[in-house]
Amino acid sequence: MTTRRSPATPTGRPIPGPLVRILRGGCAVLASFLGFLVLAIVLGAYVPAIPKAGVIGPVLGGQYPFHIALTALAAAALAALAWRGGLVRWGRAVTVITTACTVGALAIGGLQFRAAQNAGADVSLGQAFTELTYPAVKPDATETYASPEGKPLKVDAYLPGKTPGGKVPAVVLAHAGGFHTFDKSDLRGTGRWLADHGVAVFAVDYRLASPDRPTWNKAPQDLVSALGWVQKNAGKYGVDDSRISLGGMSAGGTLAMNTAYRLHNGTIEAPDGTAAPKPPASVIGFYPGTDVTEMWTQDVAGTREAAEMYTGGTPQQYPDRYREVSPTSDIRAGLPRTLLVVGDRDRSARPETVTAFGDALKERGVPTEVRELPFAEHAFDDAYGSLTSQTSRQILLDFLVEDAR
């Protein structure tokens, strides 16, 4: 009696059945897709000069390194299954690549975790995994702070609970958006977190530019009005009117620094002939444009379009406008304390430009703090739970509390 044997490959291994081949093929396809994705992200995060990958890599790799690591690990597991299923060379290669990507993504997370610890942040890894966007929180109050051209401008107030120490420091924050988009709701996560830690936050809208409506001479006036409104209503909200700061993110940071410095230098007036408010106690710029002419010249991620909408034209057409709205034009001795925060992978608010601006302030004796966050791109705080976002909130809190002291 003879025993039937399964067909064998030239190497002596049994030929897999149809189901095994289907499963092996599925693992191979999925591992290939995930492997290519994580390889592009990790390579782009480490080498931003790589076309396309260098754009998306710092964003995804910098904000979600642990998610990328898990994805790479899943791809490595799938490739290993295909390897064991008979796709030896391919499976081995993809397993090695995706394992390396796992290590690379974890290294990004490790560096960011160390930076968070150095900043004194109380890091929540759970938040890093689950809080991927702005949290669903609401302000304690929404008021109208001004009505230029008959249209109301609103402010969202995020207020600390009752504190035995009396009045609290506050910050007026202007949102990002290239001077022409987004609104104050983008600041709700930062606003609520700071309020929970003892700082009142007033997130403001301001007049936005459009192709046929420049706001270079309007938006700064709106921030002057907002700062004055908060100072006048300080008692109502339990705020110390001598400890009110002005800041913003991206274009909002540009606007806040420009407005604050011009108030100090006496080169901007309050609207409608009202008295100008006191200059803010300190100034904050998160990944800000420091020179609007440079924003136009560099033309990265829409900065030229933003500059033209804001000013109404090019630097050649309106050199005075560009000069007036650029924080670099207002560097003087005696300016308020300034905090600048930027990511080391930022393409539009380049870290070397922000650092040079900070150095220019320091040379004139302005107390200035520049913080550069590892593997962080522009708008690194969009992912509320990311390590860079947690770190930047702690840096901002410490700066405001130190100013209060």
Side-chain angles (χ1 to χ4, degrees):
M1 181 175 179
T2 59
T3 303
R4 300 182 62 183
R5 296 183 179 180
S6 299
T9 64
T11 59
R13 294 182 179 180
I15 297 176
L19 180 59
V20 172
R21 289 198 298 271
I22 291 173
L23 291 174
R24 182 183 67 184
C27 288
V29 170
L30 186 54
S32 297
F33 172 76
L34 294 178
F36 175 80
L37 180 64
V38 296
L39 179 62
I41 292 172
V42 173
L43 277 179
Y46 279 93
V47 190
I50 298 176
K52 296 185 179 179
V55 175
I56 196 66
V59 175
L60 296 181
Q63 291 187 332
Y64 312 108
F66 299 118
H67 300 79
I68 301 303
L70 287 176
T71 303
L73 192 61
L78 290 169
L81 288 175
W83 180 359
R84 292 195 62 182
L87 298 177
V88 178
R89 293 182 179 177
W90 177 93
R92 182 189 299 126
V94 175
T95 301
V96 170
I97 291 171
T98 50
T99 300
C101 288
T102 304
V103 174
L106 289 175
I108 293 173
L111 289 171
Q112 291 181 342
F113 185 80
R114 181 186 299 173
Q117 286 186 314
N118 291 339
D122 185 12
V123 177
S124 168
L125 291 178
Q127 193 177 89
F129 277 103
T130 60
E131 295 281 357
L132 305 184
T133 58
Y134 301 124
V137 298
K138 295 182 178 180
D140 296 294
T142 299
E143 304 283 354
T144 298
Y145 73 83
S147 297
E149 303 171 332
K151 296 181 180 179
L153 291 173
K154 300 289 186 178
V155 51
D156 286 341
Y158 299 88
L159 306 171
K162 297 294 182 180
T163 57
K167 295 182 178 181
V168 299
V171 60
V172 179
L173 286 179
H175 63 83
F179 307 111
H180 65 92
T181 187
F182 303 149
D183 59 41
K184 57 184 170 49
S185 66
D186 288 349
L187 298 165
R188 61 185 181 270
T190 299
R192 175 54 61 207
W193 188 89
L194 286 174
D196 289 344
H197 289 78
V199 176
V201 176
F202 297 88
V204 300
D205 280 334
Y206 50 88
R207 281 173 284 184
L208 299 177
S210 62
D212 59 349
R213 184 175 177 268
T215 55
W216 64 275
N217 58 344
K218 297 180 175 67
Q221 292 284 325
D222 296 340
L223 254 62
V224 170
S225 297
L227 180 63
W229 184 90
V230 173
Q231 290 176 355
K232 291 175 183 177
N233 289 276
K236 174 182 177 181
Y237 294 108
V239 167
D240 185 339
D241 65 359
S242 69
R243 296 184 288 170
I244 300 173
S245 301
L246 183 61
M249 282 62 179
S250 192
T254 305
L255 182 58
M257 293 192 300
N258 175 244
T259 303
Y261 296 160
R262 289 168 68 189
L263 274 173
H264 181 275
N265 295 335
T267 57
I268 189 171
E269 297 178 355
D272 302 324
T274 58
K278 295 182 297 183
S282 61
V283 186
I284 299 109
F286 270 43
Y287 40 92
T290 56
D291 187 326
V292 181
T293 301
E294 187 175 79
M295 289 174 57
W296 187 92
T297 303
Q298 295 295 327
D299 191 21
V300 177
T303 57
R304 176 171 293 181
E305 179 187 20
E308 289 188 2
M309 266 198 269
Y310 186 43
T311 62
T314 69
Q316 292 74 30
Q317 291 175 294
Y318 301 111
D320 291 343
R321 294 182 184 182
Y322 274 80
R323 186 163 46 251
E324 181 173 314
V325 298
S326 295
T328 49
S329 303
D330 295 291
I331 297 177
R332 305 283 191 280
L335 292 175
R337 285 178 65 237
T338 298
L339 170 66
L340 303 170
V341 184
V342 68
D344 68 359
R345 297 298 194 269
D346 200 320
R347 295 180 303 126
S348 51
R350 295 181 302 169
E352 60 270 24
T353 300
V354 174
T355 299
F357 181 81
D359 290 342
L361 289 172
K362 293 175 185 177
E363 287 174 2
R364 288 159 179 80
V366 180
T368 304
E369 183 179 349
V370 182
R371 304 295 290 268
E372 190 172 315
L373 302 182
F375 286 94
E377 237 283 18
H378 201 71
F380 52 73
D381 50 350
D382 277 354
Y384 178 80
S386 69
L387 293 180
T388 51
S389 189
Q390 294 186 52
T391 304
S392 67
R393 287 195 295 270
Q394 187 65 51
I395 291 171
L396 177 55
L397 174 65
D398 289 345
F399 179 81
L400 293 168
V401 171
E402 180 182 349
D403 184 71
R405 296 193 186 114

